[in-house]
Amino acid sequence: MRFIFILLFTLFTVPVAAQTDVVADLVEELKADGYVVLDQRGTLLGRTQIVVRRDDEIREIVINPNSGEILRDLPRAATAEDDMPASDAD
């Protein structure tokens, strides 16, 4: 019985560690390329959204942490509004 518990625990914890590694590796690669991470959050579908900035460019990247597949990589020019703090008075 103890063997089954250890086996199940190992099977369910290894994928979580692998998911974290994929996202962490991408973030480190982006930082090495000179990007600054502005935001990183999970989505409702279990993906990870990362928003980064370098000079006058902002990129929104959505990655599937299970497979490492980049689902979206949208670069856009940074505007003056991007430098303003977000307002909570909507």
Side-chain angles (χ1 to χ4, degrees):
M1 184 66 165
R2 183 175 176 180
F3 174 75
I4 293 173
F5 175 75
I6 293 171
L7 179 65
L8 289 175
F9 179 77
T10 304
L11 289 175
F12 287 110
T13 56
V14 170
V16 172
Q19 291 175 9
T20 305
D21 290 343
V22 169
V23 174
D25 289 346
L26 177 61
V27 168
E28 289 304 316
E29 187 176 324
L30 289 165
K31 286 180 180 179
D33 287 341
Y35 287 95
V36 175
V37 177
L38 301 177
D39 191 20
Q40 178 179 337
R41 67 178 73 183
T43 68
L44 292 175
L45 296 175
R47 275 75 171 195
T48 301
Q49 178 188 37
I50 306 166
V51 180
V52 294
R53 180 180 185 154
R54 179 175 67 182
D55 300 326
D56 291 333
E57 177 187 34
I58 292 182
R59 289 172 63 185
E60 176 193 352
I61 301 167
V62 177
I63 184 171
N64 181 338
N66 296 320
S67 66
E69 178 183 9
I70 294 178
L71 303 170
R72 181 184 323 143
D73 187 355
L74 284 173
R76 67 176 173 88
T79 63
E81 293 176 1
D82 294 321
D83 294 330
M84 296 175 60
S87 172
D88 291 333
D90 288 332

